[in-house]
Amino acid sequence: MKIIDSHCHYNLEPLYSGRKENEENLQASETTWSSHWQRAQEMGVCGSLIVGTNLHTSQLALEIAATEPQLLAAVGIHPSEAVSLLDQWGEADAGGQLNQQLETLSKMSEQASAIGEMGLDYYWLTDSEAKAQAIELQKQLFIGQIRVAAAKSLPVSIHVRDREVPEIPTPNNAYWDALAIIKSELTADLPVIFHCISGPLNYIKEINTLGGYIGVAANVTYPNAETIRTAVAAASPEHILLETDAPYLPPQGYRGKTCEPWMVAETATYLKQEMRLKPEQLLENTIRLFPQFNSGASLL
Ligand SMILES: [Zn+2]
């Protein structure tokens, strides 16, 4: 089985250096990103898109990708960074800081294969005044990054999360706000990947209609993930991609542990056995979006 992981974070801890977040002084670990990549290859992984979450981790993604032709980098700023900017700079200055970051990101995109992850995440927003400010800034950050991607003709990797999953378009809901932004900003040739798909079924149907790609992670294997399985069953098989989102979201048998990049093989097996999705089809879909994966090694 040949697998390409379309969304993975070798650039985040504990995968990158083996340290846990905030454990700067620990001795360097034996288990660094390259040993995870080695292990993943032994399980059939022959390529991976390493996805940035802020300027620092995007830079790390570029550095890792530069060492190995089968590793590609996406540079992007996660929506939660908008909340950090507000906390750090206040409402008056956060927008200016955000624009500076977008400028830097645009320069970094010269070496990238995709832009992301970007999107909207209202999951942790509760206080109503702070929520309104954060939503506004998240939208600004999202739109800014779609425009960087459109200018460079690079695919976008989108993260969307919210507590509510309403089946009808609802204002101030991350799923429906994201869809509205995509519809207004989408240009003819801009491939969009909705990574780690979740959300109401009607929203997912709209993504299908728009020709968006759906990234399926190991949470499809969870017993209560009926909505995700229904969404995957409803999606066109030509628009489904496989991903780990490692170090997050381990498959059912490994819950509570760090998700390691090799575990994408578990998800591939599940999709083949339980959902009749052929690994060859998923591989072909990823190479259609990222032909670079097939130029270093002949995978098809
Ligand atoms: Zn991610």
Side-chain angles (χ1 to χ4, degrees):
M1 189 157 61
K2 290 179 192 165
I3 297 167
I4 296 176
D5 187 349
S6 67
H7 188 115
C8 185
H9 298 290
Y10 288 99
N11 51 340
L12 299 189
E13 302 297 2
L15 300 182
Y16 181 63
S17 72
R19 295 176 188 141
K20 297 217 165 68
E21 299 280 0
N22 305 322
E23 289 184 358
E24 298 279 332
N25 297 323
L26 282 185
Q27 282 202 318
S29 165
E30 303 274 304
T31 320
T32 61
W33 75 263
S34 58
S35 52
H36 285 297
W37 166 233
Q38 193 61 44
R39 176 95 199 272
Q41 288 178 92
E42 285 159 14
M43 298 295 284
V45 180
C46 45
S48 181
L49 180 69
I50 306 165
V51 181
T53 56
N54 57 34
L55 293 180
H56 173 64
T57 61
S58 293
Q59 182 58 37
L60 292 181
L62 289 174
E63 287 169 15
I64 294 171
T67 66
E68 170 75 59
Q70 291 307 104
L71 296 175
L72 304 181
V75 296
I77 306 171
H78 190 280
S80 63
E81 292 292 316
V83 182
S84 307
L85 281 177
L86 272 174
D87 289 345
Q88 199 182 343
W89 297 92
E91 199 191 358
D93 295 324
Q97 292 295 326
L98 183 146
N99 287 334
Q100 277 184 20
Q101 292 205 2
L102 284 172
E103 260 178 53
T104 309
L105 190 80
S106 173
K107 287 185 195 126
M108 291 168 77
S109 71
E110 302 288 344
Q111 301 152 58
S113 301
I115 307 294
E117 55 191 285
M118 64 170 85
L120 301 175
D121 192 331
Y122 302 167
Y123 194 82
W124 297 110
L125 306 178
T126 44
D127 170 77
S128 61
E129 195 191 339
K131 181 171 178 172
Q133 289 174 12
I135 286 178
E136 216 32 65
L137 210 62
Q138 285 194 13
K139 286 181 176 173
Q140 205 180 320
L141 185 59
F142 186 20
I143 292 169
Q145 292 183 90
I146 295 173
R147 290 179 183 171
V148 169
K152 304 274 160 63
S153 298
L154 290 173
V156 298
S157 185
I158 297 174
H159 164 105
V160 186
R161 195 175 180 218
D162 206 333
R163 268 174 210 279
E164 307 293 329
V165 283
E167 284 294 344
I168 53 164
T170 306
N172 294 329
N173 174 266
Y175 295 105
W176 293 103
D177 283 358
L179 201 60
I181 287 172
I182 285 293
K183 280 182 178 171
S184 69
E185 294 289 327
L186 195 65
T187 52
D189 296 330
L190 189 69
V192 287
I193 305 163
F194 287 82
H195 115 81
C196 188
I197 193 71
S198 67
L201 201 55
N202 283 333
Y203 153 90
I204 292 161
K205 283 181 183 160
E206 290 225 34
I207 293 171
N208 281 329
T209 311
L210 290 172
Y213 283 81
I214 284 176
V216 182
N219 53 352
V220 72
T221 66
Y222 298 172
N224 65 354
E226 216 38 68
T227 320
I228 300 175
R229 286 187 285 273
T230 310
V232 172
S236 98
E238 290 79 31
H239 283 85
I240 296 175
L241 306 177
L242 193 55
E243 64 168 77
T244 47
D245 204 17
Y248 310 112
L249 292 174
Q252 180 60 19
Y254 301 87
R255 287 178 84 171
K257 301 199 167 106
T258 297
C259 180
E260 295 180 14
W262 70 265
M263 293 177 186
V264 73
E266 297 267 317
T267 312
T269 303
Y270 179 90
L271 290 177
K272 184 181 175 189
Q273 290 176 351
E274 305 295 325
M275 308 211 63
R276 295 169 188 269
L277 282 168
K278 295 195 181 96
E280 301 80 22
Q281 175 77 66
L282 303 176
L283 184 76
E284 194 186 313
N285 298 345
T286 320
I287 289 173
R288 193 183 317 124
L289 273 178
F290 301 103
Q292 303 96 307
F293 282 124
N294 205 37
S295 52
S298 273
L299 302 178
L300 291 179

